[in-house]
Amino acid sequence: MNVLVVHNFYRQPGGEDEVFRAETRELARQGVNVHTFTVHNDDLRGHSAAGTARATIWNPAPARALSALVREHGIDVVHFHNTFQVVSPAAYRAVRGAGAAVVQTLHNYRLLCAAATLYRDGHPCGDCLGKTPPWPAVRHACYRGSRAASGVVAAMQTTHRLLGTYDRAVDLYITLTDQMRDVYVRGGLPGNKLVVKSNFLAEDPGVGGGDGSYALFAGRLTPEKGVRTLLTAWRESGLGERLPLRVVGDGPLAGEVEAAARSGSGVEFLGQRPHADVLELMRGARLLVFPSEWPEPFGLTLIEALATGLPVVAGHIGSAATLVEHGHTGRHFRPGDPADLAAQVRWLLDHPEDFAPMRGHARRAYEANYTAPANVRALLDLYRRAIRQRAGQPHPGHPSPLRGGS
């Protein structure tokens, strides 16, 4: 099988970049003939606003280059990770016209939401679902706080919905959880082309002992990550006396975390740390707190926690609602509710007979769903399905791909 993997890097590094690298590396390890094509949004620096808008909506240069690669190397499948902004959805049509099947991993909600997050003004938002054009995005300036920039993203979405690009030029969409798939079905993508396959860890971080007697938060310090809810829970419940909280990360709310650390509420701010240090902290923690308040498509932090045998207390929203199994690998709480967050942590501390087995449950969930070999096998099955779909052949029954749940 000849595979071409395409990724458009954002200006800020993110989890999508790591997934692109990990999947490409693992495919090559499995003997797949892998080619890559990458661009970077820095390539648009110096372009006029009109030029950037044209590239975002329909950029012919990457489409031509990708079409030529398909023909030159006899590519069977082109797997896109991100097309925003340089590649543009025009590339789907080009490579499919050159004879390749097209697979798109949906790492976020960009096809449905200008901000790609389904989150606005401190709460989840679905105002644009099912709307063509998606005027609420423009009215609320959802992309970068700019109505003009939001209008460009809305124009991209509208153009390709009306042209049928999303329906006809992509053979298979990979979503990361069942919840994400459901959102895209509600948003209008064809359900028969939407499948679920989780992300995975390229390397096993190893199981920890959980003997550090602290809770851990690791992530970007922003409102949508639930940082204020987290700090309020520790400040108002007295949890810090029973289980200190260590916070790792950086972001706009770093000052508020520093203030909480000075207040004597049991919060310790560690700042940004190397990834190896974060994994070491996971191996020693009693539990991970994942208080996100937006419907995150996936959380690599969550599966790292499972791999280290670390139970998770998470808001019941987005990927956390399925990646964490309530009562088995952790506990759910109502997103944005610090009292309920504190209550779930206290429940774990007060029920050691239920809490202790969660470490083993978490590790087994990782081994069943999030290892590299299992995920590459699932990915190759999906490539074969896309090839059959491109050829107009029905796909035979086969085991379900990895579901993104435990």
Side-chain angles (χ1 to χ4, degrees):
M1 188 184 298
N2 292 325
V3 178
L4 174 60
V5 187
V6 180
H7 185 50
N8 190 141
F9 287 90
Y10 296 112
R11 286 178 177 151
Q12 296 294 324
E16 295 180 28
D17 306 336
E18 294 307 312
V19 174
F20 158 72
R21 294 186 184 102
E23 284 195 351
T24 303
R25 185 167 56 247
E26 291 302 322
L27 285 167
R29 285 179 182 173
Q30 296 293 327
V32 178
N33 190 19
V34 183
H35 304 264
T36 61
F37 179 92
T38 62
V39 295
H40 200 290
N41 281 345
D42 279 343
D43 298 343
L44 294 175
R45 290 189 187 278
H47 282 54
S48 66
T52 298
R54 285 193 298 270
T56 301
I57 297 167
W58 190 286
N59 194 346
R64 287 193 298 267
L66 286 166
S67 178
L69 285 172
V70 168
R71 291 187 170 93
E72 177 184 354
H73 297 289
I75 298 296
D76 300 299
V77 178
V78 180
H79 182 177
F80 292 89
H81 281 273
N82 179 39
T83 65
F84 186 80
Q85 292 174 275
V86 179
V87 172
S88 88
Y92 300 148
R93 290 173 168 268
V95 299
R96 203 169 190 274
V102 177
V103 174
Q104 169 69 63
T105 294
L106 297 169
H107 292 282
N108 56 42
Y109 300 103
R110 183 77 66 192
L111 302 192
L112 308 177
C113 169
T117 59
L118 297 179
Y119 184 87
R120 177 174 60 81
D121 296 336
H123 58 80
C125 173
D127 288 355
C128 288
L129 289 182
K131 292 185 174 66
T132 304
W135 292 120
V138 181
R139 183 169 66 252
H140 295 294
C142 290
Y143 181 65
R144 295 186 176 177
S146 163
R147 285 195 174 95
S150 300
V152 171
V153 182
M156 176 196 74
Q157 295 167 334
T158 301
T159 297
H160 291 284
R161 288 173 191 170
L162 295 177
L163 289 173
T165 303
Y166 299 134
D167 289 344
R168 297 193 292 271
V170 178
D171 296 292
L172 211 60
Y173 290 98
I174 296 174
T175 59
L176 306 178
T177 63
D178 290 304
Q179 173 270 339
M180 190 183 190
R181 182 186 184 277
D182 291 344
V183 170
Y184 266 101
V185 169
R186 295 202 312 271
L189 260 63
N192 65 320
K193 293 187 176 185
L194 286 158
V195 298
V196 178
K197 186 197 76 67
S198 66
N199 291 331
F200 64 95
L201 298 185
E203 303 293 340
D204 183 350
V207 183
D211 52 3
S213 297
Y214 59 87
L216 179 67
F217 170 89
R220 185 157 170 75
L221 305 180
T222 57
E224 68 272 14
K225 289 287 190 179
V227 172
R228 289 188 174 120
T229 297
L230 176 70
L231 297 178
T232 301
W234 250 258
R235 183 178 66 247
E236 296 185 354
S237 67
L239 272 178
E241 297 176 4
R242 298 185 65 184
L243 189 67
L245 171 69
R246 295 184 180 180
V247 177
V248 177
D250 198 5
L253 301 185
E256 295 184 28
V257 179
E258 290 175 339
R262 292 193 299 268
S263 71
S265 57
V267 176
E268 181 182 359
F269 182 39
L270 303 183
Q272 192 77 295
R273 291 293 181 92
H275 187 235
D277 290 358
V278 176
L279 293 177
E280 185 62 29
L281 286 163
M282 284 186 175
R283 286 189 287 266
R286 293 284 306 283
L287 58 87
L288 179 83
V289 187
F290 192 87
S292 191
E293 296 174 14
W294 72 285
E296 295 202 34
F298 200 81
L300 285 173
T301 301
L302 290 174
I303 59 174
E304 287 173 341
L306 296 178
T308 60
L310 180 59
V312 181
V313 175
H316 191 263
I317 189 171
S319 61
T322 52
L323 297 179
V324 178
E325 186 177 351
H326 185 74
H328 192 69
T329 59
R331 302 282 291 184
H332 290 147
F333 69 93
R334 289 184 295 275
D337 186 338
D340 194 31
L341 191 166
Q344 300 306 320
V345 173
R346 278 197 300 268
W347 190 95
L348 290 175
L349 298 177
D350 292 340
H351 294 80
E353 70 282 4
D354 295 293
F355 188 15
M358 288 183 179
R359 298 194 68 84
H361 297 326
R363 175 65 188 186
R364 286 189 288 276
Y366 159 73
E367 292 172 344
N369 295 288
Y370 310 115
T371 63
N375 270 265
V376 170
R377 287 193 297 271
L379 185 58
L380 291 173
D381 283 345
L382 294 177
Y383 286 168
R384 286 186 279 268
R385 175 173 169 178
I387 291 169
R388 289 191 295 269
Q389 197 140 315
R390 169 72 178 79
Q393 302 170 4
H395 64 86
H398 56 77
S400 297
L402 299 178
R403 304 297 295 173
S406 55

